[in-house]
Amino acid sequence: MSANSRLTIAAHALAWIGLYQRQGHEVATSEQIAASASTNPVVIRRLLGDLRQAGLVESRRGVGAGWSLARDLESMTLLDVYEAVEPGPLFALHRAAPDPGCVVGHGIQPAMQRIYDVIEETLRRELARVTLKDVLQDVLAVPR
Amino acid sequence: MSANSRLTIAAHALAWIGLYQRQGHEVATSEQIAASASTNPVVIRRLLGDLRQAGLVESRRGVGAGWSLARDLESMTLLDVYEAVEPGPLFALHRAAPDPGCVVGHGIQPAMQRIYDVIEETLRRELARVTLKDVLQDVLAVPR
DNA sequence: AGCTGTCGTAACAATAATAGTTACATCGCT
DNA sequence: AGCGATGTAACTATTATTGTTACGACAGCT
């Protein structure tokens, strides 16, 4: 599957900002986060832009600008992040509509869609069980 | 997410073969299945090739060649199909390794990996609950 | 007012995966 | 031998993600 790293990078960014603020800083810049995540600042700004729309972070502009958490890490779950940065569904149906004249072609899409809906709901439940505070805690618990 | 339709098309193919055999035919051709799924026969042959490696279908060559089920649809689950046609993980880690000198960069990958492992295991459990017989039954239950 | 550092965003290139297509060797039955 | 299908390589097309450059907008400072 063409898995992407958006959820990983977004979680990285949130954990980074959270830790940075815990150390007494007001805001974090996209450049700092990008350096830690080994990517481009624009990638971070785009992701954090999505997270801001979801109400997870805030940004300041001008000199001394940067990003800060809009809520406590404890109140954010991976589901919040997932919904903010992953638009599409997990599994796709057919690219072109299957033959409606065939019994299987006719019934397969509603049948699979119902299955996929159940599976995505389960995925959501799992994602909702992990808070970003948990993530940061796990990160800090990794031995050097 | 760049969702793909492999699982959908593979399930479609299996349901089609199952129904076709139920109607008394010995083997199904990739061309027939491709017509029902609105795709190219080669795409079907490639997917069925993966399913054959997993022991779900068999193929005959020569005249009167085609594909048949290697086992009863009841004994196949969507997990079997998923494992046969989806190589990669659901979520990717960073493309480039994060900064190991940063606390977050150092700990984020093992932390996220552990979370992803749990989530994938949950996904597997859900997929394993649905047999291909269920799928065909659902397909046939869709009203015209 | 002007300077500075950062966001916000557009535009484009690079990379990668999936899917579609053509072509053809190979196989096995009649 | 002829036929109809698989098996597979090679290539193209499409699409999504990621990376990069560029630059306007903004806000605080001197």
Side-chain angles (χ1 to χ4, degrees):
Chain A
M1 186 165 270
S2 67
N4 64 37
S5 58
R6 299 163 91 92
L7 185 59
T8 302
I9 305 293
H12 186 143
L14 286 171
W16 202 95
I17 299 173
L19 181 60
Y20 199 59
Q21 289 194 326
R22 189 186 287 183
Q23 291 168 350
H25 301 92
E26 287 269 325
V27 297
T29 70
S30 58
E31 195 159 1
Q32 295 172 314
I33 301 168
S36 169
S38 294
T39 182
N40 192 289
V42 175
V43 173
I44 299 297
R45 290 205 285 270
R46 281 197 289 233
L47 279 173
L48 288 180
D50 291 339
L51 296 182
R52 178 185 44 209
Q53 272 203 305
L56 304 186
V57 300
E58 287 167 345
S59 66
R60 264 189 236 167
R61 308 185 60 164
V63 171
W67 304 83
S68 55
L69 300 179
R71 321 199 306 235
D72 200 296
L73 277 188
E74 197 168 357
S75 75
M76 301 181 197
T77 71
L78 283 181
L79 177 58
D80 297 322
V81 183
Y82 177 79
E83 289 185 326
V85 303
E86 296 282 3
L90 211 50
F91 299 107
L93 296 181
H94 307 64
R95 270 199 180 179
D99 178 11
C102 164
V103 193
V104 177
H106 174 258
I108 189 76
Q109 291 204 328
M112 294 305 292
Q113 189 59 64
R114 237 174 307 139
I115 294 169
Y116 291 158
D117 285 347
V118 171
I119 289 177
E120 292 216 22
E121 191 47 43
T122 306
L123 173 72
R124 283 170 141 57
R125 242 195 312 277
E126 281 307 302
L127 287 170
R129 294 182 50 198
V130 184
T131 71
L132 266 293
K133 188 189 176 194
D134 296 335
V135 172
L136 180 53
Q137 221 160 43
D138 286 5
V139 164
L140 298 177
V142 172
R144 294 232 124 244
Chain B
M1 186 166 272
S2 66
N4 64 38
S5 58
R6 298 163 92 89
L7 185 59
T8 302
I9 304 293
H12 185 143
L14 287 172
W16 202 96
I17 299 172
L19 181 59
Y20 198 58
Q21 290 194 325
R22 189 186 287 182
Q23 292 169 349
H25 300 91
E26 286 269 325
V27 296
T29 70
S30 59
E31 195 160 359
Q32 295 172 315
I33 301 168
S36 169
S38 294
T39 181
N40 193 289
V42 175
V43 173
I44 299 296
R45 290 205 287 271
R46 280 197 289 235
L47 278 172
L48 288 179
D50 290 339
L51 296 183
R52 178 183 45 208
Q53 274 203 305
L56 303 187
V57 300
E58 287 166 346
S59 66
R60 265 189 236 166
R61 308 186 60 166
V63 171
W67 304 84
S68 54
L69 300 179
R71 320 198 307 235
D72 199 298
L73 277 187
E74 197 168 358
S75 76
M76 302 181 197
T77 71
L78 282 180
L79 177 59
D80 297 322
V81 183
Y82 177 80
E83 288 184 327
V85 304
E86 295 282 2
L90 212 50
F91 299 107
L93 296 181
H94 308 64
R95 269 201 180 177
D99 178 11
C102 164
V103 194
V104 177
H106 174 258
I108 189 78
Q109 291 205 327
M112 294 305 290
Q113 188 59 64
R114 237 174 307 140
I115 294 168
Y116 291 158
D117 285 347
V118 171
I119 289 176
E120 294 217 19
E121 192 46 44
T122 306
L123 173 72
R124 284 169 138 59
R125 242 194 312 277
E126 282 306 303
L127 288 170
R129 293 182 51 196
V130 184
T131 72
L132 266 293
K133 187 187 176 194
D134 297 334
V135 172
L136 180 54
Q137 222 160 44
D138 287 5
V139 165
L140 297 178
V142 171
R144 293 233 124 244

